């Protein structure tokens, strides 16, 4: 690379954001984090530095604050791209607090789109979700399959986000964007220095598994084994967060090198393999040698029965595919759970 390209990573101290900052730095990019630490911790910046030897510039403010954002952009002309992770993401909370979700997730995006135009930042990579497909009729699901009405305000902010970006790209041919539809990201950086930091009771399966195995939770509840799947539990496509982070670099480079076919594209990011909840638990037990105390309970409201990706478009166009197995991913989640607990103990926390 001739000059170090400058990339803003919103939500860069979050779970997927921090892993992406590491990959960016390791490829020679200058990553600038904007995050208000509403669901992350400043110690993540230390973790990133431990891995890469580079402390990323960190700007602590809320992206809803248009004035602060504009002031920052004025101070650093020549920014090449934005990777936008910053958003609220708890499905259940979004049902209880819809306005908070719409306000935060949409205002931040609108502000960033304004920034792209006003300060000549040509490229955007947007965090979207397989949640836009609802329960697909055909599996694996491709980018051609229809988007279904969202089942939560959170999911709706992702759908609306994609639509807003698509409209803006249609209106401004000089700007370009990619939306990445993630399936289920799991695991942590192999170094053990960064990983997921779920606040309070985890909603997601893998942090619940690791917290149960380490003894913070008494028992994992498997939400239903009466689905129309081989073992009755729900099926998802779990991919390692480092693989996912690498897809962002591939998407970014496609934009920077102008290899994109149109100025707005969408890609599924998954392994292409469906794994049931019971299989995930069994694989965790085999990969780590730890037992997970679990019980079968009723279905969780709003759960999709089964979904997995057809990632062939990303394989072909981004030259990206997942490389880390489910067992390795779960082992890395377990390593992180143990490291994280000892970091907390060292800091005198519980
Ligand atoms: C996986 C499976 C649960 C916890 C994710 C994101 C969400 C959204 C869609 C992201 C399901 C089961 C879980 C537990 C369980 N989009 N489970 N016991 O539902 O795919 O949602 O994708 O952008 O934000 O979280 O992931 O990890 O919550 O659940 O049995 O304690 O594990 O029923 O089948 P899900 P998940």
């Amino acid at each position: 690379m001739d000059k170090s390209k400058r990339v803003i990573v919103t939500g860069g101290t979050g779970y997927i954001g921090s892993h992406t900052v590491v990959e960016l730095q390791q490829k020679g990019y200058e990553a600038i984090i904007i995050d208000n630490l509403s669901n992350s911790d400043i110690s993540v910046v230390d973790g990133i530095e431990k891995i890469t030897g580079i402390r990323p510039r960190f700007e602590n403010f809320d992206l809803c604050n248009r004035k602060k954002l504009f002031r920052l952009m004025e101070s650093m002309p020549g920014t090449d791209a934005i990777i936008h992770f910053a958003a609220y993401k708890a499905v259940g909370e979004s049902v209880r607090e819809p306005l908070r979700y719409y306000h935060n997730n949409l205002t931040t995006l609108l502000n960033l789109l304004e920034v792209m135009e006003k300060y000549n930042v040509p490229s955007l990579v947007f965090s979207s979700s397989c949640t836009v497909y609802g329960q697909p009729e055909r599996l694996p699901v491709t980018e051609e399959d229809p988007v279904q009405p969202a089942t939560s305000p959170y999911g709706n902010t992702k759908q609306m986000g994609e639509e807003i970006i698509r409209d803006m790209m249609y209106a401004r041919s000089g700007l370009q964007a990619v939306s990445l539809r993630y399936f289920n990201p799991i695991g942590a950086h192999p170094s053990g220095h960064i990983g997921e930091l779920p606040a309070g009771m985890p909603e997601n399966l893998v942090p619940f598994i690791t917290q149960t195995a380490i003894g913070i939770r008494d028992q994992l509840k498997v939400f239903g084994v009466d689905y129309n799947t081989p073992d009755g539990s729900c099926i998802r496509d779990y991919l390692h967060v480092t693989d996912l982070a690498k897809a962002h670099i591939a998407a970014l480079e496609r934009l920077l090198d102008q290899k994109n076919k149109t100025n707005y594209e969408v890609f599924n990011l998954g392994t292409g393999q469906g794994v049931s909840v019971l299989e995930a638990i069994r694989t965790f037990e085999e990969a780590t040698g730890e037992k997970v105390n679990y019980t079968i309970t009723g279905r969780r409201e709003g759960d999709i029965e089964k979904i997995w990706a057809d990632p062939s478009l990303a394989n072909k166009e981004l030259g990206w595919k997942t490389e880390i197995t489910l067992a390795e991913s779960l082992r890395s989640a377990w390593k992180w759970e143990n490291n994280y607990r000892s970091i907390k103990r060292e800091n005198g926390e519980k």
Side-chain angles (χ1 to χ4, degrees), residues 16 89-91 127-132 152 154-155 158 182-186 202-209 212 219-224 227 233-238 275-278 280-281 295 297-300 302-305 307:
I16 307 169
K89 61 169 187 178
V91 176
S127 283
S128 189
S129 166
C130 69
T131 188
V132 302
S152 72
Y154 160 77
K158 292 296 170 190
Y182 313 154
F183 283 67
N184 289 57
I186 60 165
E203 288 202 20
N204 296 114
L205 178 63
V206 171
F208 217 107
I209 290 178
T212 307
Q219 198 169 45
L220 165 73
K221 294 189 176 79
V222 173
F223 297 136
Y227 286 97
S233 63
C234 292
I235 295 180
R236 297 287 184 276
D237 184 337
Y238 298 97
V275 171
S276 77
V277 176
L278 295 174
I281 297 170
T295 183
T297 64
R299 293 182 176 196
R300 179 171 71 176
D303 257 340
I304 299 298
E305 180 170 273
I307 184 163

Side-chain angles (χ1 to χ4, degrees), residues 24-330:
L24 281 169
Q25 290 183 331
Q26 288 180 336
K27 288 214 96 188
Y29 291 95
E30 180 194 357
I32 295 171
I33 297 174
I34 306 178
D35 202 307
N36 65 351
L37 302 177
S38 65
N39 191 24
S40 61
D41 195 276
I42 188 67
S43 62
V44 173
V45 179
D46 301 329
I48 294 171
E49 188 180 6
K50 276 193 192 132
I51 299 169
T52 64
I54 304 163
R55 193 167 185 84
R57 175 165 166 194
F58 172 70
E59 295 288 337
N60 181 351
F61 69 91
D62 186 335
L63 287 159
C64 291
N65 188 332
R66 205 164 155 272
K67 261 204 187 131
K68 272 206 176 147
L69 177 61
F70 282 24
R71 214 176 299 137
L72 175 71
M73 296 309 299
E74 251 149 49
S75 74
M76 43 179 213
T79 299
D80 297 283
I82 298 170
I83 306 183
H84 179 38
F85 295 101
Y88 293 156
K89 61 169 187 178
V91 176
E93 184 185 56
S94 80
V95 175
R96 294 188 297 275
E97 299 291 339
L99 285 186
R100 265 188 70 209
Y101 272 68
Y102 286 116
H103 182 69
N104 185 62
N105 292 6
L106 298 179
T107 308
T108 52
L109 176 64
L110 295 173
N111 286 346
L112 288 169
L113 287 167
E114 243 188 278
V115 156
M116 289 176 74
E117 184 170 35
K118 193 164 175 332
Y119 297 98
N120 299 316
V121 183
S123 304
L124 173 72
V125 179
F126 177 63
S127 283
S128 189
S129 166
C130 69
T131 188
V132 302
Y133 297 116
Q135 176 61 66
E137 278 179 21
R138 292 183 317 180
L139 286 164
V141 66
T142 75
E143 293 81 353
E144 304 287 300
D145 286 310
V147 165
Q148 305 225 30
T151 52
S152 72
Y154 160 77
N156 210 16
T157 65
K158 292 296 170 190
Q159 289 192 7
M160 293 168 82
E162 284 196 11
E163 286 169 9
I164 292 167
I165 295 169
R166 190 196 57 212
D167 289 346
M168 185 62 178
M169 296 307 121
Y170 183 75
R172 298 285 184 278
S173 58
L175 302 181
Q176 44 179 7
V178 166
S179 288
L180 299 176
R181 293 178 177 163
Y182 313 154
F183 283 67
N184 289 57
I186 60 165
H189 195 270
S191 65
H193 292 313
I194 54 171
E196 197 167 0
L197 297 170
M201 184 86 90
E203 288 202 20
N204 296 114
L205 178 63
V206 171
F208 217 107
I209 290 178
T210 57
Q211 290 195 7
T212 307
I214 210 165
I216 297 169
R217 310 281 160 207
D218 289 338
Q219 198 169 45
L220 165 73
K221 294 189 176 79
V222 173
F223 297 136
V225 290
D226 56 350
Y227 286 97
N228 181 23
T229 60
D231 66 20
S233 63
C234 292
I235 295 180
R236 297 287 184 276
D237 184 337
Y238 298 97
L239 76 162
H240 192 271
V241 64
T242 297
D243 277 336
L244 180 58
K246 286 181 175 163
H248 292 75
I249 316 301
L252 174 72
E253 293 185 340
R254 183 175 175 84
L255 295 174
L256 296 177
D257 300 343
Q258 309 255 308
K259 292 210 175 106
N260 41 333
K261 297 207 164 121
T262 65
N263 73 334
Y264 180 56
E265 295 178 317
V266 175
F267 296 100
N268 283 346
L269 299 179
T271 65
Q273 299 292 317
V275 171
S276 77
V277 176
L278 295 174
E279 280 170 333
I281 297 170
R282 201 167 345 111
T283 308
F284 176 85
E285 292 184 332
E286 284 164 9
T288 62
E290 299 292 326
K291 285 285 322 146
V292 180
N293 178 24
Y294 71 86
T295 183
I296 311 277
T297 64
R299 293 182 176 196
R300 179 171 71 176
E301 204 190 329
D303 257 340
I304 299 298
E305 180 170 273
K306 51 189 166 204
I307 184 163
W308 62 95
D310 178 343
S312 49
L313 191 67
N315 299 162
K316 180 165 172 274
E317 297 293 333
L318 298 179
W320 169 90
K321 65 175 176 41
T322 58
E323 287 169 353
I324 305 175
T325 63
L326 178 64
E328 260 179 275
S329 303
L330 292 168

